[in-house]
Amino acid sequence: MDPLPLADEVFLIGHDENSGKPHISDDGLDTVLAGAVLGELLFLGLIALTEDTVVVPYSDAPTGDAVCDSALIEINKQVDRYPVRAWIEHLRGDIRPMVANRLIRLNLVERVEARGLLRTSIRYPFRDRVAAAAPIARLRYMLDHPELLDDHSAALVALLLAGNLEFVFGGASAREVRQSLVRMAQRCHPQVRLLVAGVESAVAALAMRAR
């Protein structure tokens, strides 16, 4: 099975398969998802990043994918250029339901509304648990077979680390798992490393805001 788009794999790894709840805060997961969508545009060659992480569009040609096209339209309609962190903070508000819709169409997750006294929460439990677990299973296998690591998987690992999601891998030694993941992330393309630096900055800003 070919890998899913970056944001789809972040979404699946970032949610509990049974409850459909996110493993981290909503804002934290949405931040990583927004970074992953920018990563998809990066891999498609539709944007690039300067050394100071400013996002530069290369094309306004539609991809046919609603998630990517929505982000690309937003980027192209701006006269000024903005850094990764600014784009992540701009895009993350609407990103999760858009990514979820891609996975719902693939029958990998379902959308469940839980009405409470004060608010309605949305959850995304897995429908096809085997297929939905494929991204984390692939990365776990690569932990033991790093020679199989590809650019897509390295980017995915780097994004998960940026969102502090490494605990989902489990393992006997959390420290050893993290060290292995860091080594995998270090093999990212330089452009991806610039992207991840922007994600890390946005995640750090959330942590400061929560204090």
Side-chain angles (χ1 to χ4, degrees):
M1 180 178 176
D2 293 332
L4 295 167
L6 270 177
D8 290 16
E9 297 202 323
V10 168
F11 187 103
L12 292 171
I13 295 172
H15 284 84
D16 180 85
E17 65 178 33
N18 297 310
S19 69
K21 294 180 179 179
H23 287 305
I24 55 177
S25 71
D26 287 331
D27 286 343
L29 183 57
D30 292 341
T31 295
V32 184
L33 285 172
V37 171
L38 292 177
E40 292 179 28
L41 296 178
L42 197 60
F43 277 121
L44 289 170
L46 299 176
I47 63 171
L49 305 181
T50 65
E51 290 186 2
D52 53 353
T53 73
V54 170
V55 177
V56 179
Y58 274 177
S59 172
D60 60 359
T63 67
D65 175 79
V67 179
C68 287
D69 287 345
S70 177
L72 191 61
I73 289 170
E74 286 294 308
I75 293 170
N76 273 291
K77 76 181 184 182
Q78 299 298 322
V79 176
D80 296 327
R81 300 302 176 213
Y82 298 95
V84 170
R85 175 178 161 181
W87 277 115
I88 287 171
E89 293 173 344
H90 177 70
L91 295 172
R92 68 186 174 195
D94 301 316
I95 206 71
R96 197 181 320 183
M98 295 179 69
V99 175
N101 284 339
R102 289 199 303 202
L103 292 166
I104 291 169
R105 286 195 294 271
L106 292 173
N107 205 36
L108 294 181
V109 305
E110 61 181 324
R111 183 181 185 275
V112 176
E113 286 191 14
R115 296 186 180 277
L117 183 62
L118 299 177
R119 67 187 183 95
T120 299
S121 62
I122 308 298
R123 301 177 183 178
Y124 297 98
F126 294 4
R127 288 183 62 87
D128 185 338
R129 295 190 180 186
V130 174
I136 190 68
R138 185 182 78 250
L139 294 185
R140 284 174 175 151
Y141 185 78
M142 288 179 176
L143 280 171
D144 295 323
H145 301 84
E147 72 278 3
L148 299 178
L149 186 68
D150 56 90
D151 288 341
H152 174 97
S153 297
L156 177 58
V157 167
L159 288 165
L160 296 174
L161 286 171
N164 301 308
L165 275 160
E166 64 269 21
F167 65 89
V168 301
F169 287 85
S173 170
R175 181 179 179 184
E176 289 180 3
V177 170
R178 178 174 176 79
Q179 288 174 341
S180 295
L181 292 172
V182 168
R183 286 193 294 270
M184 292 167 72
Q186 288 171 342
R187 293 171 59 182
C188 282
H189 187 280
Q191 285 277 290
V192 174
R193 289 200 293 270
L194 291 173
L195 170 68
V196 172
V199 177
E200 290 171 340
S201 177
V203 170
L206 285 176
M208 291 294 293
R209 192 176 72 184
R211 291 181 180 176

